[in-house]
Amino acid sequence: VRALGPTTTRTEGYLSIDAGNRVAADGVDAELNDGRCVADLVAAAASSADDDLNGAEPGAFGDELAAAGIATSVYGSPAAIAALMDSQGCVDTYAADLPEEIPPGVTVIELDGLSTSGTAAARVAALDRIDVELGALAVPDTTIVFVVAPNAPDDAAEVTVAAARMPVGELRSLSSPTTRRAGYVTLSDVAPTVLDIAGLEVPESMNGTVMAIAASHAEDLTAQVSDAADLSARVAFRDRAVGPVSVVMIVLLVLCAASAIGRRARQARLFAPIVVAYPSVTFLLGLAPYHHLPLDFVVVSIPVLAMVLATVATSSLSARGPWAPAGALAALLWVVLVVDVVTGGRLQINTPLGYTPTVAGRFQGYGNLSFGLVAAAAMVVAVLAAWAMPSRRTIVLGWAAWVGAITLVADAAPRFGSDVGGTLAVLPAAVVLVSVLAGRRIGWRRATIAIGGAVVLVAALAAIDLARPAASRTHLGRFADDLLHGDGGLVIRRKMRGNLSILTASAWSVVLLVLLVAVAVLAWRRRAMLADALRDRLTTRAFLAGFVTVAVLGFALNDSGIAIPGVMLTVAVPWLVSSLMPVTRRERPTA
């Protein structure tokens, strides 16, 4: 039910249904005008939509129905008019009480009573009453019925239930091209679906899509309701877990970096494999019903499991060199993220470092944090052959190119990652890394060719996606459609605003920004010393060149901004610690 802010009010939920797009109400309540209009609300929502750069047009749903001569009726509170109003804020019929018969056309009936949490007994009583009221409605058998909750109790950032009675003959699940995931639809998908059923065109201002019927794995309705309740609990648990899980990861990273800066090589190398193993554990949690465990237990278990992985890697691979344990764990992270996204992305959604439907920014492919992690891990994996067999130049370059190609396919393909910004970052970074490994100098000409190639690739993939039916397109094709209709600038401006706003979204963003600036200043002031240290380290130069390229482009081209290079440090710092810091006498293996 996500509108624009972290919480969604009932009015914002109704407005988002009507616009087929996310809309904020800015605290304006619906006041009845002329018996069937909420003119003040539509004016405030339209002004807010202009400021939000979302392209939303409140009233679009009602306008399309009115143009087709389809009657609109609303029963309930005046706020419910916002779900079906035209651009003047009006519907054809409005009444506060429930109707005796359902009128022809499109009708919204508000069955209120669950907008606040209350006690469990009060909620059960309200549900029983709503069931009775819904069952008493005289709805013809041929009428398609949607039951939708436009906001969560107390306007919380939670998922709610959407259901539909359609003539499909069996129990199924709902999905949509917006989510590309069975069991998930958004408020913005309601209006396009109703318009499609009515045989009408969906307006360009609606970024919601027509719902689809997907297979259901539940044996009966009871099982499907139970699955939905369990999913709701998993979403809520993930949103509670992401804060403490992220803090522990940052603390481990800071301890590793601080140990390296303090020249405590043994301590730094102890932390390094734990840090790089940590993200893999968080994603692999998606294989288990971890939301049934106590939160504190989960938060403690993740670093413990990371330590176990680090211990196994260190004991098994240290003989290969101090770089081998961290390199192997980076390879594990890369394999986990690549295999997951090409097999449906089960580990991406509702895991602590993945995405969540309460933000509803993405439901398929890589989220921004996942992209940062897979890109950083790919840079490490690409240079592993150079460490393992430095004299085999052909194998080293072939391996690096193969890793870059696999990462690019996983991130760029519409069926997998469908990531515009990621594609524009990964391809130039891979070209730069392979070029440095080959001993080629990276000048403006080669850099321009790499970036141009990425743009051409994205354009080609977007064209292929755009040629598919609208209901089958990913956001690559929808972005291309926005460009063709002149809305591409709006999308870019919105992403730039999101990129800048995240800098002040939390104290961690500020700390991370200061840390990155400090490292950059320190590297610049000691550039001569760094140049001497890296002169004979071709592999490290190649890694740094690829890493910096993908970090800078990832920061500039995605709306998570500073979070992307920040999460990439989780892989880069342990790798540099393991591959560059000298081995102490106590760490050297004995005969």
Side-chain angles (χ1 to χ4, degrees):
V1 298
R2 174 73 176 232
L4 286 172
T7 61
T8 301
T9 66
R10 177 172 57 168
T11 301
E12 288 174 332
Y14 284 142
L15 286 170
S16 297
I17 291 175
D18 181 59
N21 204 332
R22 297 184 179 193
V23 179
D26 290 339
V28 179
D29 293 325
E31 295 185 8
L32 198 62
N33 308 116
D34 301 327
R36 57 185 182 86
C37 302
V38 285
D40 293 342
L41 177 60
V42 72
S47 175
S48 175
D50 290 340
D51 294 338
D52 293 328
L53 303 177
N54 222 35
E57 295 182 5
F61 191 16
D63 283 344
E64 290 297 319
L65 294 173
I70 298 176
T72 56
S73 306
V74 174
Y75 301 90
S77 71
I81 295 175
L84 202 54
M85 65 185 183
D86 58 20
S87 55
Q88 304 303 312
C90 301
V91 292
D92 293 326
T93 303
Y94 168 73
D97 299 327
L98 299 183
E100 294 183 1
E101 292 185 5
I102 303 297
V106 177
T107 302
V108 169
I109 297 176
E110 181 185 67
L111 301 174
D112 200 8
L114 292 175
S115 56
T116 56
S117 55
T119 64
R123 288 180 59 77
V124 169
L127 283 168
D128 288 341
R129 175 183 56 78
I130 289 172
D131 266 348
V132 171
E133 292 175 344
L134 185 61
L137 294 173
V139 183
D141 291 340
T142 56
T143 301
I144 293 176
V145 180
F146 287 92
V147 178
V148 177
N151 66 308
D154 296 323
D155 302 335
E158 298 177 6
V159 292
T160 67
V161 168
R165 188 186 74 175
M166 292 185 177
V168 294
E170 58 183 346
L171 185 68
R172 305 293 292 271
S173 289
L174 288 173
S175 181
S176 79
T178 303
T179 65
R180 292 194 295 150
R181 194 178 284 272
Y184 292 88
V185 293
T186 73
L187 284 181
S188 302
D189 297 327
V190 175
T193 305
V194 175
L195 291 174
D196 183 73
I197 290 170
L200 303 177
E201 292 291 327
V202 178
E204 292 294 337
S205 64
M206 293 186 176
N207 62 11
T209 55
V210 178
M211 295 182 195
I213 306 298
S216 174
H217 299 294
E219 296 179 356
D220 53 34
L221 184 59
T222 300
Q224 192 166 28
V225 171
S226 177
D227 290 346
D230 186 70
L231 175 60
S232 177
R234 190 181 186 101
V235 172
F237 187 91
R238 180 270 173 197
D239 290 348
R240 289 169 52 215
V242 64
V245 167
S246 299
V247 168
V248 172
M249 182 176 74
I250 292 172
V251 169
L252 290 172
L253 175 61
V254 169
L255 289 174
C256 181
S259 300
I261 292 172
R263 297 185 180 181
R264 298 185 176 184
R266 187 166 179 265
Q267 183 176 320
R269 222 179 339 265
L270 179 67
F271 280 115
I274 299 174
V275 174
V276 78
Y278 193 96
S280 296
V281 175
T282 66
F283 284 105
L284 290 171
L285 283 177
L287 296 175
Y290 75 102
H291 58 292
H292 294 313
L293 300 171
L295 178 60
D296 293 342
F297 179 80
V298 172
V299 173
V300 172
S301 296
I302 293 175
V304 170
L305 292 173
M307 291 177 192
V308 172
L309 276 177
T311 301
V312 171
T314 302
S315 61
S316 304
L317 300 170
S318 289
R320 297 281 301 175
W323 54 270
L329 292 169
L332 172 64
L333 176 61
W334 181 72
V335 169
V336 166
L337 293 178
V338 169
V339 171
D340 176 53
V341 82
V342 300
T343 55
R346 176 184 175 183
L347 306 183
Q348 298 299 313
I349 194 165
N350 295 325
T351 50
L353 296 182
Y355 36 73
T356 171
T358 55
V359 173
R362 180 176 276 267
F363 292 84
Q364 192 60 268
Y366 286 126
N368 287 335
L369 295 184
S370 300
F371 161 72
L373 289 168
V374 75
M379 297 301 108
V380 173
V381 176
V383 299
L384 284 182
W387 281 89
M389 48 186 75
S391 61
R392 307 293 294 273
R393 177 184 173 86
T394 302
I395 294 178
V396 166
L397 295 179
W399 170 262
W402 180 81
V403 171
I406 293 295
T407 307
L408 186 63
V409 169
D411 188 62
R415 187 176 177 181
F416 304 144
S418 64
D419 186 4
V420 176
T423 304
L424 293 173
V426 167
L427 181 55
V431 171
V432 166
L433 185 146
V434 173
S435 297
V436 174
L437 271 182
R440 303 285 182 85
R441 184 177 178 83
I442 303 297
W444 286 109
R445 182 171 175 269
R446 187 169 279 113
T448 302
I449 292 174
I451 295 175
V455 173
V456 170
L457 176 63
V458 168
L461 292 173
I464 293 172
D465 200 24
L466 187 61
R468 302 163 70 189
S472 303
R473 293 174 191 162
T474 68
H475 85 280
L476 261 177
R478 293 198 292 273
F479 177 68
D481 188 60
D482 288 337
L483 288 176
L484 293 176
H485 287 87
D487 295 328
L490 195 68
V491 176
I492 294 170
R493 287 167 59 199
R494 186 173 69 247
K495 288 185 175 293
M496 289 177 62
R497 176 188 286 184
N499 198 330
L500 294 174
S501 65
I502 201 170
L503 291 176
T504 56
S506 71
W508 286 110
S509 298
V510 178
V511 170
L512 184 58
L513 181 62
V514 171
L515 178 62
L516 289 172
V517 171
V519 169
V521 171
L522 182 63
W524 176 255
R525 294 183 61 182
R526 300 185 180 181
R527 58 189 181 278
M529 183 185 71
L530 286 174
D532 291 339
L534 296 175
R535 183 168 291 113
D536 297 325
R537 295 181 183 269
L538 179 64
T539 303
T540 303
R541 294 204 307 274
F543 167 76
L544 288 174
F547 176 83
V548 170
T549 301
V550 77
V552 171
L553 292 176
F555 164 78
L557 298 169
N558 289 282
D559 52 9
S560 286
I562 195 67
I564 291 180
V567 77
M568 291 177 70
L569 293 177
T570 308
V571 178
V573 169
W575 169 249
L576 292 173
V577 164
S578 301
S579 60
L580 292 182
M581 293 202 73
V583 179
T584 63
R585 181 175 299 178
R586 292 180 60 185
E587 293 178 296
R588 291 171 185 161
T590 56

